[in-house]
Amino acid sequence: MSDSKPVSMPAHLWEALELMSAEMGVGTDALVAQSVFTLARLNGFVVPGKVAGGAAVSAPPPRAAVSPSASVVSPRAASAPPGIKPRAAPPPPEPEPEPEPEPEQDPVEDEGNPFDEPAPSEENYDPPAEEEPPADEPYEEPEPPPPPARGGGKAGLTLFVAGRDPFKMTGDVFTIGRGKSCEFVIDSNRVSREHVRILREGPDFVLEDLGSSNGTFYGPSKEKISKRKIKDGDEFTLGTEKIKFQIRK
């Protein structure tokens, strides 16, 4: 009666076991027993020639003889467990190529230093032509600026009304009144549509009443006028509206 027991393993291991059995010429049971024995021996569970667990341990069956045509296996590959392919030994390093000798270069002829050339002889040397100095130009004194004119320029007339921006006369004549056609409009029922006219007469300014209904008055005394020369600071009243003039050059 045999003491062997069935072994269960994955299908790919069975395929590897059958392939090893065919190539090595050893039965599958012997390969399994040898593998288990090697693993147990490496881990100290089995010692050859001694009793382990109350029973004598026998050595594994002999390995199959290697044919003379088999390739030589390195000691590292022989000690590897069955079923594991040993790593191939690395190829020996290739010898480094010897450096090639540098080609010989033709000696370069010394072209000479350009600074070593002899200086030109005085016979062939032409001195640079001397430049003639420029002719002296007559000096012209700048004309002095004209002196500032005394009292020159026209005087300007500026009109002031309370609550309004100053109005500066730009032409030689302008009118003041309630009408929209006047240059300076005063919106008051006490002022006529064309109440007065301002004229420039030479260096002077003249105020002329245009026949207004409520009259034109001069100064604080309210002197009624029809025509009067304007001086700087004069104050006139058109109806009830006061205006003041300023003259500046």
Side-chain angles (χ1 to χ4, degrees):
M1 187 176 184
S2 177
D3 294 335
S4 61
K5 297 181 180 180
V7 179
S8 177
M9 65 177 66
H12 67 281
L13 293 181
W14 275 114
E15 293 177 359
L17 181 62
E18 291 176 355
L19 182 60
M20 292 170 59
S21 175
E23 292 183 358
M24 299 174 63
V26 181
T28 57
D29 294 340
L31 290 176
V32 173
Q34 183 178 355
S35 301
V36 174
F37 176 79
T38 303
L39 183 62
R41 181 178 179 183
L42 292 175
N43 291 275
F45 290 98
V46 174
V47 179
K50 294 185 179 181
V51 178
V57 180
S58 61
R63 297 183 181 178
V66 181
S67 61
S69 60
S71 60
V72 180
V73 182
S74 64
R76 182 178 178 182
S79 61
I84 301 177
K85 294 183 178 181
R87 296 183 179 177
E94 297 181 359
E96 296 182 359
E98 296 182 359
E100 297 180 0
E102 296 182 359
E104 296 182 0
Q105 298 180 356
D106 296 335
V108 180
E109 295 182 359
D110 188 6
E111 297 180 357
N113 192 343
F115 296 99
D116 295 339
E117 296 179 1
S121 60
E122 296 182 357
E123 297 178 358
N124 299 328
Y125 176 72
D126 295 332
E130 295 182 358
E131 296 181 359
E132 296 181 359
D136 295 336
E137 297 180 358
Y139 176 74
E140 296 180 0
E141 294 185 359
E143 297 181 0
R150 297 182 180 180
K154 292 184 179 181
L157 179 69
T158 304
L159 172 65
F160 295 89
V161 176
R164 300 276 298 274
D165 293 334
F167 177 81
K168 188 173 183 179
M169 180 178 179
T170 56
D172 292 336
V173 59
F174 75 95
T175 56
I176 303 173
R178 190 178 74 250
K180 303 300 180 182
S181 60
C182 297
E183 282 77 15
F184 190 84
V185 179
I186 299 177
D187 190 9
S188 174
N189 293 331
R190 305 295 297 176
V191 178
S192 300
R193 286 187 177 87
E194 292 185 355
H195 202 105
V196 296
R197 176 170 52 209
I198 308 297
L199 302 172
R200 183 192 292 270
E201 294 181 354
D204 301 325
F205 296 96
V206 177
L207 183 146
E208 180 183 1
D209 185 86
L210 298 177
S212 61
S213 301
N214 296 315
T216 301
F217 306 92
Y218 169 73
S221 60
K222 300 290 182 69
E223 176 188 353
K224 188 174 183 179
I225 60 165
S226 58
K227 186 175 182 181
R228 184 180 176 88
K229 179 181 176 180
I230 302 174
K231 297 181 181 180
D232 182 38
D234 281 352
E235 183 178 278
F236 293 83
T237 303
L238 308 183
T240 57
E241 303 295 330
K242 292 182 179 181
I243 60 176
K244 189 175 182 179
F245 293 97
Q246 183 183 70
I247 299 175
R248 293 286 184 273
K249 290 185 179 180

